[in-house]
Amino acid sequence: MSIELRIALRLFFRFNPNSPKRFSFLTIASIVGIMLGVMSLVLAQGLISGFEKELKTKMLSFSSHIQISSFSKNDNLEVLSEKIKNEIDGIEDVSEVYTKEGMLSVGDEIEGAILTSYENEIFKKRLSKYFKGDCDLKNNSNDFPKIILGERLKESLKINYGDTIIYSTFINENEPIVFTAILSGSINSGFKEYDENFAFINIDFSKSLFGNLITTSHIELDCKNISEIENKVDEINKKYKYKYLVSSVYDLNKNIFSWIELQKKPTPIFMSLLLIVAMVNIISTLLTSIVEKRYTIGVLQTIGVNKNQIHKIFLYKGLIIVTIGIMLGVFLAFGFTILQENYKIIKLPSEIYFMDAAVIDSKLTDYIFVIVGTYLISFLALYIPSKKAIKISPLEAIKIS
């Protein structure tokens, strides 16, 4: 251990039998400031990353990657579906979807709903993680067809699993269609729009019920590689000469993804303010320490300690403060991340944030970035006040003290 570091440690821990205090108030304040700054920076970055990751994961699992609809009623989407299966590589699933607005009624309770028909296996694959109750749309023989509702829609209708529900709609003014179904399950996606408005039935039942009265509403595609979604949209548009409306999941949920990007914009300002406050604390602590230790500086100079060593002593003292603050900040940030993951301390209204609790996704790179950045800024902040120490005249320092 160098003599400069040894003296810096003695100055930091205040090894003075005449002083009952080990640390000055400003030293503690500086450590706490850096600790809170580092913890806040790591958690802020983790919250933004976790929020973005959770929303994207939900959107990409709950919604199809690409949706294709026609501009004209004369277009045959069933034929297009077969073409895509044979002509476009990198597509994992292709499904035809029927949607029809109608009314759901249970006793005196009536709610509007968008009845959506899916193939059973694709429906389970895409939405299984959000199910409550039975997630199988496949109908049992001689029974009423199964229907699955959004959780909020289920609560509005005050219905329980196994109860019957009546769906009614009109193909045109003279052709009403009514059927009775059994509620087999519900979906709680966290997205208010889906959970309040959508009901799901098996596409085979829908075809037998409506026959040729309605056609495919749109085609849904899932890509093998989600990073290729936008490329596949361009490929389909060029392949079929922009004849269809082809939308990616990012286009269909543009408001949500724009909101995610908006959340990131104030983060650099917030982080900068935290670091500035912490650095001001360090500078004021070091300057106060230099004033308090004028006599010590004078004595050190008289016994042969040169100016460069004096500079290093106070630079080391500042770095000791920074190191302790960083270590405590990283420890608290990591500890809070574990607590949030297991106990959901920060609750969120799901109708606003699309999740019931905050998700912190702090990566190793976030910790490294904050630690290295804090050290670099701290070194620059410490350099100037530590230089002030070497300008103190030993004669004047001893005389004043």
Side-chain angles (χ1 to χ4, degrees):
M1 182 185 295
S2 65
I3 185 66
E4 295 91 345
L5 181 56
R6 184 176 298 179
I7 295 173
L9 286 170
R10 292 183 65 86
L11 291 176
F12 174 76
F13 288 106
R14 297 182 69 167
F15 290 119
N16 185 352
N18 299 321
S19 175
K21 296 181 180 180
R22 283 292 185 197
F23 306 100
S24 69
F25 173 78
L26 281 176
T27 298
I28 295 172
S30 296
I31 292 173
V32 171
I34 296 169
M35 176 190 73
L36 294 176
V38 168
M39 181 181 74
S40 300
L41 291 175
V42 172
L43 291 179
Q45 189 61 39
L47 282 167
I48 292 171
S49 299
F51 188 68
E52 180 178 11
K53 180 181 178 181
E54 183 73 7
L55 276 182
K56 282 188 175 180
T57 300
K58 276 194 171 185
M59 292 307 305
L60 292 171
S61 62
F62 187 79
S63 178
S64 60
H65 297 164
I66 299 172
Q67 190 177 108
I68 304 175
S69 54
S70 62
F71 294 109
S72 170
K73 292 183 178 180
N74 297 323
D75 292 329
N76 193 323
L77 290 179
E78 288 87 348
V79 174
L80 176 64
S81 175
E82 291 301 319
K83 285 184 177 180
I84 290 174
K85 290 178 183 178
N86 298 323
E87 298 175 355
I88 304 296
D89 295 328
I91 300 298
E92 186 173 18
D93 292 314
V94 180
S95 56
E96 300 165 15
V97 179
Y98 292 79
T99 60
K100 184 63 181 174
E101 296 82 359
M103 302 296 294
L104 294 172
S105 59
V106 180
D108 295 331
E109 303 295 334
I110 300 175
E111 293 288 342
I114 300 172
L115 187 68
T116 306
S117 307
Y118 272 104
E119 294 176 22
N120 189 49
E121 294 306 315
I122 290 178
F123 181 73
K124 288 196 294 184
K125 178 181 177 181
R126 185 177 295 165
L127 302 174
S128 59
K129 65 172 67 174
Y130 306 111
F131 279 129
K132 291 183 178 180
D134 182 9
C135 63
D136 197 340
L137 282 175
K138 191 173 182 180
N139 300 320
N140 298 323
S141 58
N142 302 322
D143 286 337
F144 291 121
K146 293 179 180 180
I147 191 169
I148 293 175
L149 306 181
E151 183 67 20
R152 289 174 178 268
L153 182 58
K154 170 183 170 292
E155 292 173 355
S156 298
L157 289 168
K158 300 176 182 177
I159 185 174
N160 298 314
Y161 302 129
D163 291 349
T164 57
I165 186 170
I166 298 172
Y167 173 82
S168 57
T169 188
F170 281 86
I171 299 301
N172 54 52
E173 292 182 0
N174 300 317
E175 292 187 72
I177 289 182
V178 180
F179 69 87
T180 302
I182 293 178
L183 179 65
S184 62
S186 61
I187 292 175
N188 185 15
S189 68
F191 291 96
K192 185 179 179 181
E193 177 185 351
Y194 290 101
D195 295 343
E196 281 188 346
N197 299 306
F198 281 81
F200 304 92
I201 60 171
N202 187 281
I203 194 167
D204 294 329
F205 172 76
S206 183
K207 287 179 178 179
S208 65
L209 177 69
F210 294 105
N212 296 324
L213 297 176
I214 64 171
T215 57
T216 302
S217 303
H218 60 268
I219 301 171
E220 295 187 352
L221 313 178
D222 287 331
C223 299
K224 292 179 180 178
N225 187 348
I226 60 173
S227 63
E228 290 291 315
I229 292 175
E230 296 294 349
N231 292 336
K232 292 302 172 186
V233 170
D234 293 337
E235 183 180 345
I236 292 169
N237 276 324
K238 291 175 182 178
K239 179 77 175 177
Y240 303 109
K241 304 184 185 306
Y242 297 89
K243 185 179 178 181
Y244 305 96
L245 177 61
V246 185
S247 305
S248 70
V249 63
Y250 306 112
D251 298 324
L252 296 170
N253 301 280
K254 188 172 290 186
N255 57 331
I256 294 176
F257 289 106
S258 297
W259 185 45
I260 293 173
E261 293 302 317
L262 183 63
Q263 301 299 310
K264 296 180 181 178
K265 290 184 178 180
T267 304
I269 300 173
F270 172 67
M271 292 183 172
S272 299
L273 289 174
L274 285 174
L275 284 176
I276 288 171
V277 171
M279 293 311 106
V280 168
N281 281 336
I282 294 173
I283 292 171
S284 61
T285 300
L286 208 57
L287 287 173
T288 304
S289 176
I290 289 169
V291 173
E292 289 178 346
K293 300 298 180 181
R294 282 177 303 180
Y295 178 74
T296 304
I297 294 170
V299 171
L300 288 172
Q301 287 178 322
T302 57
I303 62 174
V305 178
N306 60 45
K307 290 184 176 181
N308 186 47
Q309 289 176 307
I310 296 291
H311 175 239
K312 285 184 179 180
I313 289 169
F314 285 93
L315 189 61
Y316 286 157
K317 181 183 177 182
L319 289 175
I320 291 169
I321 294 172
V322 172
T323 301
I324 293 174
I326 288 174
M327 290 174 62
L328 291 174
V330 167
F331 175 78
L332 289 177
F334 183 76
F336 187 83
T337 300
I338 299 298
L339 289 174
Q340 177 64 21
E341 183 178 345
N342 292 296
Y343 299 104
K344 312 295 183 187
I345 298 171
I346 303 177
K347 304 289 185 181
L348 298 174
S350 59
E351 63 273 13
I352 298 175
Y353 294 99
F354 312 110
M355 58 188 77
D356 56 5
V359 177
I360 302 175
D361 184 34
S362 296
K363 303 177 180 66
L364 179 61
T365 51
D366 295 332
Y367 285 94
I368 293 173
F369 175 78
V370 171
I371 291 171
V372 173
T374 304
Y375 267 122
L376 289 175
I377 295 173
S378 299
F379 184 81
L380 294 175
L382 292 169
Y383 188 81
I384 296 173
S386 59
K387 273 290 186 182
K388 293 288 183 183
I390 66 176
K391 295 181 179 180
I392 296 176
S393 166
L395 184 61
E396 291 296 322
I398 296 172
K399 185 186 295 183
I400 292 171
S401 299

